[in-house]
Structure formats: structure tokens, C-alpha cells
Amino acid sequence: MKKIIIMLVLIASMNRVTPVLANETEVTANIDVTMPCQEKLVWKYKFINGKLYRRLWNQTLNKWVGDHWIPC
């Protein structure tokens, strides 16, 4: 009989419902995307009609920086 009473007490304590209070909060996330390294710029040279020209090349993004070739 003692075991049954202990079992009933344990079962009753497990089924006990406790109220949970939750506050409404607004979650905002600010994500800043930054590049970990500095852009690497190099001058590219070529001869056009016997004259030396140069143009700036961005090695980080693999594209030209300026619009046209500049005479040296």
C-alpha cells in the first residue's frame, strides 16, 4: 500500500502544470558584410601602335577600374 501511495504522489508531481510567463520582444538583426582584405590594384601595360599604354586592374574583383587605356 505504501508503494502505491508513493507511485501516485510521483505521478501527480510529474503531471503538475506550471504557468509560463513570456514577454513579447522584438528581434532585429543587423548584418554588416565586410570584405576581410583590401582590394589589390595593379597597372597593366600594353603597346598600341608603338606607344605604351597602361590601365588599372582590380585583382580582387577581376575587372578593370578605369574606362580606357591611358598613355604613359
Side-chain angles (χ1 to χ4, degrees):
M1 182 73 174
K2 190 175 179 183
K3 287 183 180 181
I4 295 175
I5 293 175
I6 292 174
M7 279 292 240
L8 289 175
V9 170
L10 287 175
I11 292 172
S13 66
M14 282 189 220
N15 291 333
R16 190 173 148 195
V17 178
T18 57
V20 176
L21 301 175
N23 294 334
E24 210 175 294
T25 59
E26 183 178 330
V27 177
T28 58
N30 293 332
I31 300 172
D32 295 327
V33 178
T34 57
M35 292 183 68
C37 61
Q38 193 175 23
E39 291 182 358
K40 186 171 182 181
L41 303 174
V42 294
W43 286 104
K44 297 288 185 173
Y45 296 92
K46 82 173 185 176
F47 282 99
I48 302 174
N49 294 330
K51 289 187 175 181
L52 184 63
Y53 287 83
R54 69 180 180 169
R55 192 169 180 186
L56 202 54
W57 175 257
N58 188 334
Q59 283 188 330
T60 308
L61 301 175
N62 290 328
K63 66 178 187 178
W64 294 110
V65 175
D67 293 334
H68 56 278
W69 290 90
I70 303 167
C72 293

